[in-house]
Amino acid sequence: QVQLAESGGGLVQAGGSLRLSCAGSGRTLSSYDMAWFRQAPGKERERVAAITWTGSSTAYASFVKARFTISRDNAKNTVFLQMNSLNFEDTAVYYCAARPGRLPLWRLDYEYWGQGTQVTVSS
């Protein structure tokens, strides 16, 4: 089984940056598609970014507007989300998710989830 643990969240001023990390344990993530989701208070969970197991393809939600970058380091069994130019609307709990790399990128269903890390952007 796969266990995922997010870190790197915190309080940041509008216009600032954060880098979230998702560390895998239990097994290697090298053959898994990975994604970041977020959920704000009173809102549904939405996918922020996704990356294939090879790292060759990525997908981003339209609200990212070129501000976020998803990447992975399989040697460290870790996935990252670099977030720049943060604004108040980015405030949410951010979750890491994983699935075996056999589905098209547009699919939103993932098998394994972390506990989430809080990102709060002050205006």
Side-chain angles (χ1 to χ4, degrees), residues 1-63:
Q1 292 296 101
V2 175
Q3 293 83 45
L4 304 172
E6 304 94 337
S7 62
L11 177 64
V12 63
Q13 292 185 345
S17 298
L18 285 174
R19 187 163 101 143
L20 306 183
S21 297
C22 173
S25 61
R27 63 179 61 208
T28 178
L29 299 178
S30 61
S31 64
Y32 286 76
D33 294 339
M34 306 296 298
W36 287 95
F37 289 73
R38 72 184 188 186
Q39 187 167 23
K43 304 285 289 185
E44 295 297 317
R45 184 175 294 180
E46 57 189 351
R47 193 170 74 173
V48 177
I51 187 168
T52 59
W53 69 275
T54 63
S56 60
S57 297
T58 57
Y60 296 94
S62 60
F63 58 75

Side-chain angles (χ1 to χ4, degrees), residues 19-110:
R19 187 163 101 143
L20 306 183
S21 297
C22 173
S25 61
R27 63 179 61 208
T28 178
L29 299 178
S30 61
S31 64
Y32 286 76
D33 294 339
M34 306 296 298
W36 287 95
F37 289 73
R38 72 184 188 186
Q39 187 167 23
K43 304 285 289 185
E44 295 297 317
R45 184 175 294 180
E46 57 189 351
R47 193 170 74 173
V48 177
I51 187 168
T52 59
W53 69 275
T54 63
S56 60
S57 297
T58 57
Y60 296 94
S62 60
F63 58 75
V64 169
K65 295 180 174 63
R67 298 178 298 123
F68 295 0
T69 302
I70 187 171
S71 62
R72 64 192 303 161
D73 186 342
N74 285 343
K76 298 183 182 296
N77 217 36
T78 302
V79 180
F80 305 97
L81 183 68
Q82 178 67 46
M83 305 187 294
N84 300 323
S85 301
L86 288 164
N87 54 59
F88 178 77
E89 290 71 35
D90 295 317
T91 296
V93 177
Y94 284 72
Y95 298 91
C96 180
R99 69 189 180 199
R102 62 191 180 208
L103 296 177
L105 201 58
W106 57 264
R107 288 280 294 272
L108 299 178
D109 45 317
Y110 290 81

